[in-house]
Short mmCIF file of all heavy atoms in Angstrom, two decimals:
data_model
loop_
_atom_site.label_atom_id
_atom_site.label_comp_id
_atom_site.label_asym_id
_atom_site.label_seq_id
_atom_site.Cartn_x
_atom_site.Cartn_y
_atom_site.Cartn_z
N MET C 1 4.70 9.05 9.81
CA MET C 1 5.80 8.93 8.84
C MET C 1 7.04 9.63 9.38
O MET C 1 6.97 10.72 9.93
CB MET C 1 5.37 9.57 7.52
CG MET C 1 6.28 9.18 6.35
SD MET C 1 5.70 9.97 4.83
CE MET C 1 7.26 10.14 3.97
N ALA C 2 8.18 8.98 9.22
CA ALA C 2 9.43 9.56 9.70
C ALA C 2 9.79 10.78 8.85
O ALA C 2 9.46 10.86 7.68
CB ALA C 2 10.54 8.53 9.62
N LYS C 3 10.47 11.72 9.49
CA LYS C 3 10.91 12.90 8.76
C LYS C 3 12.05 12.55 7.82
O LYS C 3 12.93 11.75 8.16
CB LYS C 3 11.38 13.98 9.74
CG LYS C 3 10.24 14.76 10.35
CD LYS C 3 10.77 16.09 10.83
CE LYS C 3 9.64 17.08 10.99
NZ LYS C 3 10.14 18.42 11.32
N THR C 4 12.01 13.16 6.67
CA THR C 4 13.03 12.85 5.68
C THR C 4 13.64 14.11 5.08
O THR C 4 13.09 15.20 5.19
CB THR C 4 12.44 12.00 4.53
OG1 THR C 4 11.27 12.63 4.04
CG2 THR C 4 12.09 10.60 5.00
N LYS C 5 14.78 13.94 4.47
CA LYS C 5 15.46 15.00 3.73
C LYS C 5 15.84 14.46 2.37
O LYS C 5 15.91 13.25 2.18
CB LYS C 5 16.76 15.41 4.46
CG LYS C 5 16.55 16.03 5.81
CD LYS C 5 17.86 16.54 6.38
CE LYS C 5 18.77 15.41 6.80
NZ LYS C 5 19.87 15.87 7.68
N ALA C 6 16.11 15.37 1.46
CA ALA C 6 16.52 14.93 0.13
C ALA C 6 17.86 15.56 -0.24
O ALA C 6 18.14 16.70 0.14
CB ALA C 6 15.47 15.31 -0.90
N CYS C 7 18.65 14.83 -0.97
CA CYS C 7 19.95 15.31 -1.42
C CYS C 7 19.78 16.32 -2.55
O CYS C 7 19.08 16.04 -3.52
CB CYS C 7 20.78 14.12 -1.87
SG CYS C 7 22.35 14.58 -2.61
N ARG C 8 20.43 17.48 -2.43
CA ARG C 8 20.31 18.49 -3.49
C ARG C 8 21.06 18.07 -4.74
O ARG C 8 20.78 18.53 -5.84
CB ARG C 8 20.86 19.84 -3.01
CG ARG C 8 19.92 20.58 -2.10
CD ARG C 8 20.30 22.06 -2.02
NE ARG C 8 19.38 22.76 -1.13
CZ ARG C 8 19.62 22.94 0.16
NH1 ARG C 8 20.73 22.51 0.69
NH2 ARG C 8 18.75 23.58 0.91
N ASN C 9 22.01 17.23 -4.58
CA ASN C 9 22.82 16.81 -5.73
C ASN C 9 22.13 15.72 -6.55
O ASN C 9 21.98 15.86 -7.76
CB ASN C 9 24.17 16.34 -5.22
CG ASN C 9 25.08 15.93 -6.36
OD1 ASN C 9 25.25 16.67 -7.33
ND2 ASN C 9 25.64 14.75 -6.25
N CYS C 10 21.70 14.64 -5.91
CA CYS C 10 21.16 13.52 -6.68
C CYS C 10 19.70 13.21 -6.35
O CYS C 10 19.13 12.30 -6.93
CB CYS C 10 22.02 12.28 -6.46
SG CYS C 10 21.85 11.56 -4.81
N HIS C 11 19.10 13.96 -5.40
CA HIS C 11 17.69 13.83 -5.03
C HIS C 11 17.37 12.56 -4.24
O HIS C 11 16.21 12.25 -4.03
CB HIS C 11 16.77 13.91 -6.27
CG HIS C 11 16.75 15.28 -6.89
ND1 HIS C 11 15.79 15.69 -7.78
CD2 HIS C 11 17.56 16.33 -6.73
CE1 HIS C 11 16.03 16.94 -8.16
NE2 HIS C 11 17.11 17.33 -7.54
N PHE C 12 18.34 11.85 -3.80
CA PHE C 12 18.12 10.66 -2.98
C PHE C 12 17.49 11.09 -1.64
O PHE C 12 17.91 12.07 -1.04
CB PHE C 12 19.46 9.95 -2.74
CG PHE C 12 19.31 8.55 -2.19
CD1 PHE C 12 19.00 7.51 -3.04
CD2 PHE C 12 19.51 8.29 -0.85
CE1 PHE C 12 18.86 6.20 -2.55
CE2 PHE C 12 19.38 6.99 -0.35
CZ PHE C 12 19.05 5.95 -1.20
N VAL C 13 16.46 10.37 -1.19
CA VAL C 13 15.76 10.72 0.05
C VAL C 13 16.28 9.87 1.20
O VAL C 13 16.38 8.64 1.09
CB VAL C 13 14.24 10.56 -0.11
CG1 VAL C 13 13.53 10.73 1.22
CG2 VAL C 13 13.71 11.57 -1.13
N VAL C 14 16.63 10.55 2.29
CA VAL C 14 17.15 9.86 3.48
C VAL C 14 16.38 10.31 4.72
O VAL C 14 15.67 11.32 4.70
CB VAL C 14 18.65 10.17 3.69
CG1 VAL C 14 19.47 9.61 2.55
CG2 VAL C 14 18.87 11.67 3.87
N LEU C 15 16.52 9.58 5.80
CA LEU C 15 15.91 9.99 7.07
C LEU C 15 16.64 11.22 7.61
O LEU C 15 17.81 11.45 7.32
CB LEU C 15 15.99 8.85 8.09
CG LEU C 15 15.07 7.66 7.79
CD1 LEU C 15 15.32 6.55 8.81
CD2 LEU C 15 13.61 8.08 7.82
N ASN C 16 15.91 11.98 8.44
CA ASN C 16 16.43 13.25 8.95
C ASN C 16 17.71 13.14 9.76
O ASN C 16 18.47 14.09 9.86
CB ASN C 16 15.37 13.92 9.81
CG ASN C 16 14.93 15.23 9.21
OD1 ASN C 16 15.39 15.61 8.13
ND2 ASN C 16 14.06 15.93 9.90
N ASN C 17 17.94 11.98 10.37
CA ASN C 17 19.14 11.86 11.22
C ASN C 17 20.39 11.50 10.41
O ASN C 17 21.47 11.34 10.97
CB ASN C 17 18.90 10.83 12.33
CG ASN C 17 18.56 9.45 11.79
OD1 ASN C 17 18.53 9.24 10.59
ND2 ASN C 17 18.30 8.52 12.67
N VAL C 18 20.24 11.42 9.10
CA VAL C 18 21.38 11.13 8.24
C VAL C 18 22.01 12.45 7.79
O VAL C 18 21.31 13.39 7.45
CB VAL C 18 20.92 10.32 7.00
CG1 VAL C 18 22.06 10.10 6.03
CG2 VAL C 18 20.34 8.99 7.45
N SER C 19 23.33 12.55 7.83
CA SER C 19 23.97 13.81 7.47
C SER C 19 24.73 13.72 6.15
O SER C 19 25.17 14.72 5.61
CB SER C 19 24.93 14.26 8.57
OG SER C 19 25.94 13.30 8.73
N GLN C 20 24.86 12.52 5.62
CA GLN C 20 25.56 12.36 4.35
C GLN C 20 24.73 11.51 3.40
O GLN C 20 24.19 10.48 3.81
CB GLN C 20 26.91 11.70 4.60
CG GLN C 20 27.77 11.58 3.35
CD GLN C 20 29.06 10.82 3.59
OE1 GLN C 20 29.10 9.93 4.42
NE2 GLN C 20 30.10 11.19 2.89
N CYS C 21 24.63 11.92 2.17
CA CYS C 21 23.88 11.14 1.19
C CYS C 21 24.59 9.81 0.92
O CYS C 21 25.76 9.81 0.56
CB CYS C 21 23.77 11.95 -0.10
SG CYS C 21 22.98 11.02 -1.44
N PRO C 22 23.87 8.70 1.10
CA PRO C 22 24.52 7.41 0.87
C PRO C 22 24.77 7.12 -0.61
O PRO C 22 25.58 6.27 -0.95
CB PRO C 22 23.52 6.40 1.46
CG PRO C 22 22.21 7.11 1.44
CD PRO C 22 22.49 8.57 1.55
N ALA C 23 24.08 7.85 -1.48
CA ALA C 23 24.22 7.58 -2.91
C ALA C 23 25.41 8.32 -3.52
O ALA C 23 26.19 7.75 -4.25
CB ALA C 23 22.93 7.96 -3.63
N CYS C 24 25.55 9.62 -3.21
CA CYS C 24 26.61 10.39 -3.86
C CYS C 24 27.63 10.95 -2.88
O CYS C 24 28.56 11.62 -3.29
CB CYS C 24 26.00 11.54 -4.68
SG CYS C 24 25.28 12.84 -3.69
N LYS C 25 27.43 10.67 -1.57
CA LYS C 25 28.39 11.07 -0.51
C LYS C 25 28.48 12.56 -0.28
O LYS C 25 29.40 13.05 0.36
CB LYS C 25 29.82 10.54 -0.82
CG LYS C 25 29.88 9.07 -1.21
CD LYS C 25 29.38 8.17 -0.10
CE LYS C 25 29.46 6.71 -0.53
NZ LYS C 25 28.60 5.85 0.29
N MET C 26 27.50 13.34 -0.80
CA MET C 26 27.49 14.77 -0.53
C MET C 26 26.81 15.04 0.80
O MET C 26 26.03 14.23 1.29
CB MET C 26 26.73 15.51 -1.65
CG MET C 26 27.28 15.31 -3.04
SD MET C 26 28.65 16.40 -3.43
CE MET C 26 27.75 17.90 -3.80
N HIS C 27 27.08 16.21 1.36
CA HIS C 27 26.45 16.59 2.62
C HIS C 27 25.38 17.64 2.40
O HIS C 27 24.95 18.29 3.34
CB HIS C 27 27.51 17.12 3.59
CG HIS C 27 28.44 16.06 4.06
ND1 HIS C 27 28.26 15.38 5.24
CD2 HIS C 27 29.54 15.54 3.50
CE1 HIS C 27 29.22 14.49 5.38
NE2 HIS C 27 30.01 14.56 4.34
N ASP C 28 24.97 17.84 1.17
CA ASP C 28 24.03 18.90 0.83
C ASP C 28 22.60 18.37 0.84
O ASP C 28 22.02 18.07 -0.19
CB ASP C 28 24.40 19.42 -0.56
CG ASP C 28 23.75 20.77 -0.84
OD1 ASP C 28 23.13 21.33 0.10
OD2 ASP C 28 23.85 21.26 -1.97
N LEU C 29 22.02 18.25 2.06
CA LEU C 29 20.68 17.69 2.20
C LEU C 29 19.68 18.78 2.56
O LEU C 29 19.99 19.68 3.32
CB LEU C 29 20.68 16.61 3.29
CG LEU C 29 21.67 15.46 3.04
CD1 LEU C 29 21.81 14.60 4.28
CD2 LEU C 29 21.26 14.62 1.87
N SER C 30 18.47 18.69 1.99
CA SER C 30 17.46 19.72 2.22
C SER C 30 16.16 19.10 2.72
O SER C 30 15.72 18.07 2.21
CB SER C 30 17.19 20.45 0.90
OG SER C 30 16.03 21.24 1.03
N GLU C 31 15.55 19.76 3.71
CA GLU C 31 14.24 19.28 4.18
C GLU C 31 13.12 19.79 3.30
O GLU C 31 11.98 19.37 3.44
CB GLU C 31 14.01 19.78 5.62
CG GLU C 31 14.87 19.07 6.62
CD GLU C 31 14.67 19.62 8.03
OE1 GLU C 31 13.52 19.88 8.39
OE2 GLU C 31 15.68 19.80 8.73
N ASP C 32 13.45 20.71 2.42
CA ASP C 32 12.43 21.34 1.58
C ASP C 32 12.43 20.70 0.19
O ASP C 32 13.12 21.13 -0.72
CB ASP C 32 12.74 22.83 1.49
CG ASP C 32 11.58 23.59 0.87
OD1 ASP C 32 10.52 22.97 0.62
OD2 ASP C 32 11.74 24.78 0.62
N PHE C 33 11.64 19.64 0.07
CA PHE C 33 11.55 18.98 -1.23
C PHE C 33 10.11 18.56 -1.48
O PHE C 33 9.30 18.51 -0.57
CB PHE C 33 12.49 17.77 -1.29
CG PHE C 33 12.10 16.63 -0.37
CD1 PHE C 33 11.26 15.63 -0.81
CD2 PHE C 33 12.58 16.58 0.93
CE1 PHE C 33 10.90 14.58 0.03
CE2 PHE C 33 12.23 15.54 1.77
CZ PHE C 33 11.39 14.54 1.32
N SER C 34 9.78 18.25 -2.72
CA SER C 34 8.43 17.82 -3.03
C SER C 34 8.46 16.72 -4.08
O SER C 34 9.39 16.61 -4.87
CB SER C 34 7.60 18.99 -3.52
OG SER C 34 8.13 19.48 -4.73
N GLY C 35 7.42 15.91 -4.06
CA GLY C 35 7.33 14.80 -4.98
C GLY C 35 8.23 13.67 -4.52
O GLY C 35 9.34 13.90 -4.05
N LEU C 36 7.71 12.48 -4.59
CA LEU C 36 8.50 11.35 -4.12
C LEU C 36 8.28 10.18 -5.07
O LEU C 36 7.15 9.83 -5.36
CB LEU C 36 8.05 10.98 -2.71
CG LEU C 36 8.93 10.03 -1.93
CD1 LEU C 36 10.29 10.65 -1.65
CD2 LEU C 36 8.25 9.65 -0.62
N ILE C 37 9.36 9.64 -5.56
CA ILE C 37 9.22 8.44 -6.38
C ILE C 37 10.12 7.35 -5.82
O ILE C 37 11.18 7.64 -5.24
CB ILE C 37 9.55 8.68 -7.87
CG1 ILE C 37 10.96 9.26 -8.01
CG2 ILE C 37 8.55 9.58 -8.53
CD1 ILE C 37 11.47 9.15 -9.42
N ILE C 38 9.67 6.12 -5.95
CA ILE C 38 10.45 5.00 -5.45
C ILE C 38 10.97 4.21 -6.64
O ILE C 38 10.19 3.79 -7.50
CB ILE C 38 9.59 4.11 -4.53
CG1 ILE C 38 9.16 4.93 -3.31
CG2 ILE C 38 10.37 2.87 -4.10
CD1 ILE C 38 8.10 4.25 -2.47
N ILE C 39 12.26 4.06 -6.69
CA ILE C 39 12.88 3.32 -7.78
C ILE C 39 13.36 1.98 -7.25
O ILE C 39 14.20 1.93 -6.35
CB ILE C 39 14.02 4.15 -8.40
CG1 ILE C 39 13.41 5.43 -8.95
CG2 ILE C 39 14.76 3.34 -9.46
CD1 ILE C 39 14.21 6.20 -9.90
N LEU C 40 12.77 0.93 -7.78
CA LEU C 40 13.11 -0.41 -7.30
C LEU C 40 14.16 -1.09 -8.17
O LEU C 40 14.98 -1.84 -7.68
CB LEU C 40 11.84 -1.27 -7.26
CG LEU C 40 10.71 -0.76 -6.37
CD1 LEU C 40 9.47 -1.61 -6.56
CD2 LEU C 40 11.14 -0.79 -4.91
N ASP C 41 14.09 -0.78 -9.45
CA ASP C 41 14.96 -1.46 -10.39
C ASP C 41 15.57 -0.45 -11.37
O ASP C 41 15.09 -0.28 -12.48
CB ASP C 41 14.12 -2.51 -11.15
CG ASP C 41 14.97 -3.38 -12.05
OD1 ASP C 41 16.20 -3.22 -12.06
OD2 ASP C 41 14.39 -4.22 -12.75
N PRO C 42 16.59 0.27 -10.92
CA PRO C 42 17.11 1.41 -11.70
C PRO C 42 17.53 1.04 -13.12
O PRO C 42 17.41 1.84 -14.03
CB PRO C 42 18.31 1.91 -10.89
CG PRO C 42 18.42 1.06 -9.69
CD PRO C 42 17.29 0.07 -9.67
N GLU C 43 18.03 -0.16 -13.31
CA GLU C 43 18.54 -0.52 -14.63
C GLU C 43 17.43 -0.67 -15.66
O GLU C 43 17.67 -0.55 -16.86
CB GLU C 43 19.36 -1.80 -14.56
CG GLU C 43 20.70 -1.52 -13.91
CD GLU C 43 21.57 -2.76 -13.84
OE1 GLU C 43 21.27 -3.75 -14.51
OE2 GLU C 43 22.55 -2.71 -13.09
N ASN C 44 16.21 -0.95 -15.20
CA ASN C 44 15.11 -1.13 -16.14
C ASN C 44 14.03 -0.07 -15.97
O ASN C 44 12.90 -0.27 -16.38
CB ASN C 44 14.50 -2.52 -15.95
CG ASN C 44 15.49 -3.60 -16.35
OD1 ASN C 44 15.97 -3.62 -17.47
ND2 ASN C 44 15.82 -4.46 -15.42
N SER C 45 14.38 1.05 -15.37
CA SER C 45 13.40 2.11 -15.12
C SER C 45 13.70 3.33 -15.97
O SER C 45 14.81 3.88 -15.92
CB SER C 45 13.41 2.47 -13.64
OG SER C 45 12.76 3.70 -13.44
N GLU C 46 12.70 3.76 -16.76
CA GLU C 46 12.91 4.97 -17.56
C GLU C 46 13.09 6.20 -16.69
O GLU C 46 13.84 7.10 -17.01
CB GLU C 46 11.70 5.19 -18.47
CG GLU C 46 11.79 4.42 -19.77
CD GLU C 46 10.57 4.68 -20.64
OE1 GLU C 46 10.10 5.82 -20.67
OE2 GLU C 46 10.10 3.73 -21.28
N ILE C 47 12.33 6.24 -15.59
CA ILE C 47 12.45 7.38 -14.67
C ILE C 47 13.85 7.44 -14.09
O ILE C 47 14.46 8.50 -14.00
CB ILE C 47 11.42 7.28 -13.53
CG1 ILE C 47 10.01 7.11 -14.10
CG2 ILE C 47 11.47 8.52 -12.65
CD1 ILE C 47 8.99 6.71 -13.04
N ALA C 48 14.37 6.29 -13.71
CA ALA C 48 15.72 6.25 -13.15
C ALA C 48 16.74 6.78 -14.15
O ALA C 48 17.65 7.52 -13.79
CB ALA C 48 16.07 4.83 -12.73
N GLN C 49 16.55 6.42 -15.41
CA GLN C 49 17.49 6.89 -16.42
C GLN C 49 17.35 8.39 -16.65
O GLN C 49 18.33 9.10 -16.86
CB GLN C 49 17.28 6.11 -17.72
CG GLN C 49 17.97 4.74 -17.63
CD GLN C 49 17.41 3.73 -18.61
OE1 GLN C 49 16.86 4.09 -19.65
NE2 GLN C 49 17.52 2.46 -18.27
N LYS C 50 16.10 8.88 -16.58
CA LYS C 50 15.87 10.31 -16.71
C LYS C 50 16.55 11.09 -15.59
O LYS C 50 17.11 12.15 -15.78
CB LYS C 50 14.37 10.61 -16.69
CG LYS C 50 13.87 11.22 -17.99
CD LYS C 50 12.39 11.49 -17.90
CE LYS C 50 11.75 11.23 -19.25
NZ LYS C 50 10.30 11.36 -19.20
N LEU C 51 16.42 10.55 -14.38
CA LEU C 51 17.01 11.22 -13.22
C LEU C 51 18.49 10.88 -13.06
O LEU C 51 19.16 11.38 -12.18
CB LEU C 51 16.26 10.81 -11.94
CG LEU C 51 14.80 11.25 -11.84
CD1 LEU C 51 14.18 10.69 -10.57
CD2 LEU C 51 14.70 12.77 -11.84
N ASN C 52 18.96 10.00 -13.91
CA ASN C 52 20.35 9.60 -13.90
C ASN C 52 20.76 8.95 -12.57
O ASN C 52 21.76 9.30 -11.97
CB ASN C 52 21.24 10.82 -14.21
CG ASN C 52 22.60 10.39 -14.71
OD1 ASN C 52 22.76 9.29 -15.23
ND2 ASN C 52 23.58 11.25 -14.56
N VAL C 53 19.93 8.05 -12.07
CA VAL C 53 20.25 7.37 -10.83
C VAL C 53 20.54 5.89 -11.10
O VAL C 53 20.01 5.29 -12.03
CB VAL C 53 19.11 7.48 -9.79
CG1 VAL C 53 18.79 8.92 -9.52
CG2 VAL C 53 17.88 6.73 -10.24
N SER C 54 21.40 5.33 -10.31
CA SER C 54 21.79 3.93 -10.52
C SER C 54 21.58 3.11 -9.25
O SER C 54 21.98 1.96 -9.17
CB SER C 54 23.25 3.86 -10.95
OG SER C 54 24.05 4.53 -10.00
N ARG C 55 20.96 3.74 -8.25
CA ARG C 55 20.78 3.08 -6.98
C ARG C 55 19.29 3.02 -6.65
O ARG C 55 18.59 4.02 -6.79
CB ARG C 55 21.52 3.91 -5.93
CG ARG C 55 21.53 3.31 -4.54
CD ARG C 55 22.09 4.37 -3.58
NE ARG C 55 21.98 3.92 -2.22
CZ ARG C 55 23.01 3.44 -1.52
NH1 ARG C 55 24.19 3.38 -2.04
NH2 ARG C 55 22.83 3.03 -0.27
N ALA C 56 18.80 1.86 -6.22
CA ALA C 56 17.40 1.75 -5.82
C ALA C 56 17.14 2.55 -4.56
O ALA C 56 18.02 2.68 -3.71
CB ALA C 56 17.03 0.29 -5.59
N GLY C 57 15.94 3.12 -4.46
CA GLY C 57 15.61 3.90 -3.27
C GLY C 57 14.53 4.92 -3.57
O GLY C 57 13.89 4.86 -4.61
N GLN C 58 14.34 5.84 -2.62
CA GLN C 58 13.34 6.89 -2.80
C GLN C 58 14.04 8.15 -3.28
O GLN C 58 15.08 8.53 -2.76
CB GLN C 58 12.65 7.19 -1.47
CG GLN C 58 11.82 6.04 -0.94
CD GLN C 58 11.10 6.49 0.31
OE1 GLN C 58 10.11 7.19 0.25
NE2 GLN C 58 11.61 6.07 1.45
N TYR C 59 13.40 8.83 -4.23
CA TYR C 59 13.95 10.06 -4.76
C TYR C 59 12.91 11.17 -4.76
O TYR C 59 11.73 10.91 -5.03
CB TYR C 59 14.47 9.85 -6.20
CG TYR C 59 15.69 8.97 -6.25
CD1 TYR C 59 15.59 7.60 -6.26
CD2 TYR C 59 16.97 9.55 -6.26
CE1 TYR C 59 16.71 6.79 -6.28
CE2 TYR C 59 18.10 8.75 -6.29
CZ TYR C 59 17.97 7.38 -6.30
OH TYR C 59 19.07 6.58 -6.31
N ALA C 60 13.36 12.38 -4.51
CA ALA C 60 12.49 13.55 -4.59
C ALA C 60 12.49 14.06 -6.01
O ALA C 60 13.51 14.01 -6.70
CB ALA C 60 12.98 14.63 -3.64
N LEU C 61 11.34 14.56 -6.46
CA LEU C 61 11.29 15.13 -7.81
C LEU C 61 11.87 16.54 -7.84
O LEU C 61 12.57 16.92 -8.76
CB LEU C 61 9.85 15.16 -8.31
CG LEU C 61 9.26 13.81 -8.71
CD1 LEU C 61 7.81 13.97 -9.12
CD2 LEU C 61 10.06 13.18 -9.83
N LYS C 62 11.56 17.30 -6.78
CA LYS C 62 12.06 18.69 -6.71
C LYS C 62 12.73 18.90 -5.36
O LYS C 62 12.14 18.59 -4.32
CB LYS C 62 10.90 19.67 -6.82
CG LYS C 62 10.62 20.12 -8.22
CD LYS C 62 9.59 21.24 -8.18
CE LYS C 62 9.05 21.50 -9.58
NZ LYS C 62 7.86 22.37 -9.55
N VAL C 63 13.91 19.44 -5.35
CA VAL C 63 14.59 19.79 -4.10
C VAL C 63 14.93 21.27 -4.16
O VAL C 63 15.52 21.74 -5.14
CB VAL C 63 15.88 18.97 -3.89
CG1 VAL C 63 16.50 19.28 -2.54
CG2 VAL C 63 15.61 17.49 -4.02
N ARG C 64 14.53 22.02 -3.12
CA ARG C 64 14.80 23.44 -3.12
C ARG C 64 16.04 23.75 -2.30
O ARG C 64 16.45 22.97 -1.47
CB ARG C 64 13.61 24.21 -2.56
CG ARG C 64 12.52 24.31 -3.58
CD ARG C 64 11.26 24.91 -2.96
NE ARG C 64 10.10 24.39 -3.67
CZ ARG C 64 9.32 23.42 -3.18
NH1 ARG C 64 9.56 22.91 -2.00
NH2 ARG C 64 8.32 22.98 -3.88
ZN1 ZN I 13 23.09 12.51 -3.17
#
């Protein structure tokens, strides 16, 4: 599995060679995260609404 990081701001998960979050454009990425959920259809997902995300992708549940 490729190494990944998660955005501290919106929890979007990206590959390690990415330096900017594609979802919120922040540069605050952390390798220390846990839990992973995949959101395929944000508009019809309760989890997506809970996490306040509007973009499909992988999200971390906890980012330290
Ligand atoms: Zn982000």
Side-chain angles (χ1 to χ4, degrees):
M1 195 180 150
K3 279 203 160 186
T4 51
K5 295 186 289 195
C7 174
R8 283 198 180 93
N9 181 50
C10 71
H11 292 196
F12 194 79
V13 172
V14 295
L15 289 176
N16 243 3
N17 58 3
V18 175
S19 61
Q20 184 185 31
C21 175
C24 70
K25 312 298 180 199
M26 301 277 281
H27 291 264
D28 196 6
L29 302 169
S30 168
E31 288 177 41
D32 191 6
F33 67 90
S34 64
L36 192 65
I37 56 164
I38 297 169
I39 299 197
L40 300 173
D41 186 2
E43 286 181 14
N44 294 303
S45 164
E46 275 180 38
I47 306 168
Q49 280 159 26
K50 243 180 216 175
L51 294 176
N52 201 24
V53 303
S54 55
R55 184 190 174 102
Q58 294 185 78
Y59 291 84
L61 286 177
K62 268 188 193 168
V63 184
R64 283 173 209 102

